[in-house]
Amino acid sequence: MPTENKTPEALKVERSTVTKLVITGAPRLDAITVFLEDFGRRDCPIDSNPNYQTAQGKLTINCWDNSWNAYWGGMGPRTVAEFVADCGWDYVLNCLDRGISPTVFSGDALHTLAKKCIVQRRRQQTGRHDWELGELSKDEARNLWHDIDSLRSIESPNECWHQSELLTELFGDEWHYPIDGKAVEENQKFTYLRKVVDAVQQALRQEQQYVVA
C-alpha cells in the first residue's frame, strides 16, 4: 500500500537572551565562566494585578571541572543578573546545590569527640558536658582509647550503627544524640562553592555599577 505523505508540523522555537561572563582574579579560584539566560516574562496574575508578569531566567556557573545551575521562574521585573546580585549568597548557593551543608560527618571528628569523652569521663568532668555515662576506671579508659581507632574509618552517620556497641560504651544507649552535629568537619565543597558565589555576585554588582556609570 502506498505510504501517505504527511506534512510535518512546524516546530515551536523560542529565543532567549544569553550573556556570558568570564571572571578571573578571584582569590584561590580558577577562571569562572558564567552564563546568564533570560527567558522573558510569563503571566503571573495576582489579586492586585491580573495582568502581572514576572521574569524568568537561568544561571549556569562553570569553574574548573565543576558546574552548577539554577532556574528561577519568578524574578519580578529583574533580569537574572540583577536577581542574583540582589539575593543573599546563602540563597543563591542553596539554589545551585540543594541541601548542601557547611559541615559534613567525619570519622576523624567522631574519633576526636570520643577521645574528649574518654578524657572527661576519666577525670570525672561529666558535669560540664552531656555524656550520659559516668566515670571510667583506668583500665576501662585504656581499653576504650585503643578501640576508638576504628571510628576513623566510618564515612557516614549510617555506618555508625556498625559500631553501636562501642559508641554505647562511650556515650550511652542514646549515643546518636551526643554525636549529632558534633562529629563533623568543614564541608570543603560548601566552602568552595561559597567562594565561587561570592566572586560571581561581586562581578555582577561590579557590572551593574559600570552600566550605571
Side-chain angles (χ1 to χ4, degrees):
M1 295 179 63
T3 302
E4 181 181 355
N5 293 324
K6 294 184 178 179
T7 303
E9 296 182 3
L11 298 177
K12 183 179 180 181
V13 179
E14 296 182 358
R15 293 190 179 190
S16 61
T17 302
V18 181
T19 300
K20 176 183 176 181
L21 302 176
V22 178
I23 304 168
T24 57
R28 297 182 298 281
L29 287 174
D30 294 294
I32 304 169
T33 303
V34 180
F35 295 93
L36 305 157
E37 190 169 6
D38 289 289
F39 299 119
R41 300 194 177 191
R42 63 180 179 86
D43 294 332
C44 185
I46 56 178
D47 292 340
S48 60
N49 185 0
N51 297 317
Y52 179 75
Q53 292 184 321
T54 183
Q56 48 190 337
K58 181 179 180 180
L59 170 70
T60 301
I61 302 174
N62 299 318
C63 187
W64 189 234
D65 59 348
N66 296 287
S67 180
W68 307 268
N69 65 78
Y71 165 81
W72 292 280
M75 302 188 300
R78 293 169 290 185
T79 65
V80 66
E82 293 169 337
F83 180 80
V84 172
D86 290 344
C87 290
W89 67 265
D90 50 344
Y91 170 77
V92 176
L93 186 150
N94 185 63
C95 289
L96 293 169
D97 193 341
R98 297 286 183 183
I100 190 171
S101 171
T103 58
V104 290
F105 175 86
S106 163
D108 286 336
L110 178 57
H111 180 260
T112 299
L113 184 67
K115 288 197 298 183
K116 180 179 180 181
C117 175
I118 293 171
V119 169
Q120 291 180 341
R121 288 179 59 193
R122 177 69 186 124
R123 294 176 178 173
Q124 303 181 43
Q125 294 179 327
T126 53
R128 298 184 185 180
H129 295 275
D130 297 327
W131 313 125
E132 180 182 341
L133 302 180
E135 180 184 356
L136 287 170
S137 69
K138 184 177 181 179
D139 288 340
E140 288 172 333
R142 182 187 299 110
N143 291 335
L144 282 175
W145 196 270
H146 176 268
D147 292 342
I148 62 175
D149 280 343
S150 61
L151 300 179
R152 293 180 182 273
S153 62
I154 298 178
E155 297 181 353
S156 71
N158 288 337
E159 291 184 12
C160 288
W161 292 99
H162 299 307
Q163 295 283 356
S164 180
E165 183 177 348
L166 174 58
L167 294 175
T168 299
E169 291 183 46
L170 286 164
F171 306 111
D173 292 332
E174 303 295 326
W175 52 262
H176 49 283
Y177 287 117
I179 71 173
D180 183 34
K182 295 180 181 178
V184 295
E185 63 184 16
E186 180 183 358
N187 185 350
Q188 296 297 330
K189 291 183 178 180
F190 181 96
T191 303
Y192 180 74
L193 182 53
R194 176 169 183 182
K195 291 179 182 177
V196 172
V197 170
D198 285 342
V200 170
Q201 289 189 304
Q202 180 181 343
L204 292 177
R205 291 163 185 159
Q206 182 177 302
E207 285 288 295
Q208 289 179 0
Q209 292 175 354
Y210 177 79
V211 171
V212 171

